[in-house]
Amino acid sequence: MTLGKMLQSKDSGSDVTAPYMRAANVQPDGLLALDDVNEMWFSAAELEKLSIRTGDVVVVEGGQGGFGRAAYVGEDLSGWGFQNSINRLRPIGDADGRFIAFYLIALRASGFIRAYSNVVSMPHLTAEKLARIPLPLPPVEYQRAVCDYLDHETAHIDTLIEEQRCLIEILRERRHSLIDSVFGDHVPNVRLQNACIDVVDCPHTTPEVSDFGAYEAVRTSSVRNGKFRPGNGLPVDADTWKARNAGGAPSIGDVLFTREAPAGEACMVPSDQLCLGQRMVLLRIDPTVCVGNFLMWQLYSNRVQDHFLLSVNGSTVANVRLPILRTTPIWLPGLSVQRRITAYLNGQTDKIDTLIAETERFIELSKERRSALITAAVTGQIDVRETV
């Protein structure tokens, strides 16, 4: 068992740059994602010591989200090294690295790794701890039978999951096209500020959190794809809620807008027990001229999103400043037209969102089946010799 090398940013004299494996390359499902690869300096001796060969097993050493992830290396990674966030296991004799990797995946899914690592603040599954994990090692023929069975079955499940992910992307594209088709052919006739009583920026401070507060400070993570996501903000008490709403409290019918990280997301205000967290803007809708939901959907149109992109001169919407937001050109027809379009978009997007939610649930169930199958095979709950 070998721990990788600490990041080195400079040549010590005779080093070479080489790609290295890091925690992000080891996925929760036991697969390696090697498309996003970084390089650092290694000496020739280090590259020899920290080689990655077919049959090795790599295990993530630290980090809340990744410690204990394991993956089998199915091909030689010639010229690679690995970082000190990775422990490399190199099986001896006839031991099958695939069996070891599958067993570690099962242990992590069961919660054993978390309990074993004695998590306090930043968990670490050190090489020493990893070496002491008890491993039931059946005869090599049975190891191979288990691994061949799991390779076949997990590949089938992974294919199904990937197909469902592609379906979700298609549904999201369809959703976006639906919204844009409504607004794309209409020429803007007013500025966004003309649809609002006020455009209220957030206090540029972090709200004081109250664990038992009855109010919620909305953050950018609270708003996605036209939907409010409760619980992603910060709990605050009544005094904080009142202080942060000095510029105007959110009301049902108003629109929440994220101006940074990410910028350009929007949703309707779901209740009056909210205040603005950082990077949030409140669009206080003027009900005599605008339906809030109509404006919210229009913010997702290509024309408006492109306006935001051009305003920051970047390839992504980095920060939509208030002057830009206020003067954004929009199309504002009569209220009856707005209500008709809003009803149409609400109905159509609800259908698509339901399909997306069902597909995401299918993916989660598939992952659970995959995990249960691995656990059953490596612990002998199923006899794979009759199925291979």
Side-chain angles (χ1 to χ4, degrees):
M1 296 196 183
T2 304
L3 179 65
K5 176 184 177 177
M6 186 177 295
L7 281 175
Q8 177 185 331
S9 58
K10 295 182 180 180
D11 182 4
S12 63
S14 58
D15 296 336
V16 296
T17 56
Y20 68 92
M21 187 176 294
R22 64 193 198 279
N25 299 126
V26 184
Q27 298 298 296
D29 51 13
L31 300 176
L32 290 174
L34 303 180
D35 294 333
D36 180 16
V37 180
N38 296 338
E39 293 188 347
M40 71 168 165
W41 295 97
F42 291 91
S43 68
E46 286 171 336
L47 280 178
E48 182 175 356
K49 176 185 177 183
L50 303 177
S51 63
I52 305 176
R53 304 175 190 164
T54 303
D56 288 346
V57 178
V58 289
V59 185
V60 177
E61 194 241 22
Q64 284 286 2
F67 73 101
R69 289 183 181 177
Y72 175 76
V73 179
E75 60 178 336
D76 288 345
L77 297 179
S78 180
W80 283 55
F82 54 98
Q83 189 189 355
N84 63 340
S85 59
I86 296 287
N87 281 303
R88 182 200 63 201
L89 283 62
R90 181 157 287 166
I92 58 175
D94 292 329
D96 195 321
R98 294 178 300 165
F99 185 87
I100 297 172
F102 279 128
Y103 188 72
L104 290 173
I105 291 168
L107 286 185
R108 190 170 188 268
S110 73
F112 173 88
I113 295 294
R114 172 166 285 275
Y116 179 73
S117 298
N118 191 24
V119 176
V120 178
S121 55
M122 184 61 71
H124 285 85
L125 182 60
T126 63
E128 292 75 19
K129 276 186 170 289
L130 189 57
R132 293 197 297 268
I133 290 178
L135 173 70
L137 202 60
V140 66
E141 294 79 10
Y142 190 76
Q143 291 180 49
R144 289 172 181 160
V146 166
C147 296
D148 290 344
Y149 169 76
L150 288 177
D151 281 345
H152 178 270
E153 294 299 318
T154 57
H156 177 64
I157 294 172
D158 290 342
T159 298
L160 288 176
I161 290 173
E162 185 57 33
E163 289 173 349
Q164 296 304 305
R165 285 175 175 157
C166 290
L167 174 59
I168 288 175
E169 288 306 309
I170 292 171
L171 288 170
R172 286 175 176 162
E173 290 172 6
R174 179 182 173 186
R175 188 182 191 273
H176 178 78
S177 297
L178 173 72
I179 295 167
D180 194 61
S181 67
V182 171
F183 299 102
D185 294 334
H186 296 284
V187 178
N189 56 355
V190 298
R191 303 288 181 173
L192 182 142
Q193 62 191 4
N194 300 121
C196 302
I197 297 171
D198 197 4
V199 177
V200 183
D201 197 7
C202 64
H204 296 281
T205 57
T206 302
E208 183 177 348
V209 174
S210 173
D211 291 337
F212 302 102
Y215 299 87
E216 183 173 353
V218 180
R219 299 190 292 179
T220 56
S221 57
S222 305
V223 184
R224 284 294 183 279
N225 300 314
K227 303 290 185 182
F228 180 76
R229 305 198 300 179
N232 282 274
L234 299 173
V236 297
D237 61 22
D239 290 338
T240 300
W241 174 84
K242 186 180 298 183
R244 296 186 74 85
N245 282 333
S251 299
I252 294 175
D254 291 341
V255 176
L256 295 167
F257 179 81
T258 67
R259 61 178 182 80
E260 188 178 357
E265 295 279 354
C267 75
M268 300 304 297
V269 172
S271 80
D272 58 2
Q273 293 190 309
L274 303 176
C275 60
L276 299 182
Q278 292 195 75
R279 306 183 182 92
M280 294 297 304
V281 175
L282 173 66
L283 305 179
R284 299 182 65 196
I285 301 301
D286 183 349
T288 66
V289 297
C290 182
V291 175
N293 218 286
F294 177 85
L295 178 61
M296 185 273 290
W297 287 127
Q298 189 165 180
L299 291 172
Y300 282 100
S301 67
N302 285 338
R303 183 181 62 243
V304 173
Q305 290 290 316
D306 288 346
H307 172 77
F308 295 152
L309 284 171
L310 292 171
S311 72
V312 296
N313 298 318
S315 58
T316 58
V317 183
N319 186 328
V320 179
R321 294 178 290 109
L322 252 64
I324 297 297
L325 181 60
R326 288 192 179 101
T327 57
T328 297
I330 63 169
W331 171 56
L332 200 65
L335 289 174
S336 61
V337 174
Q338 293 183 48
R339 293 190 186 102
R340 186 170 67 249
I341 289 175
T342 295
Y344 169 74
L345 287 177
N346 286 347
Q348 294 300 311
T349 57
D350 281 348
K351 292 177 184 177
I352 295 173
D353 290 341
T354 298
L355 290 173
I356 291 174
E358 291 173 351
T359 307
E360 288 174 337
R361 178 59 180 157
F362 177 86
I363 290 174
E364 289 307 309
L365 291 173
S366 298
K367 289 180 177 179
E368 291 173 10
R369 170 169 169 71
R370 188 184 195 277
S371 178
L373 196 65
I374 292 172
T375 298
V378 298
T379 57
Q381 296 174 46
I382 53 177
D383 189 347
V384 301
R385 289 171 296 189
E386 298 176 1
T387 59
V388 175

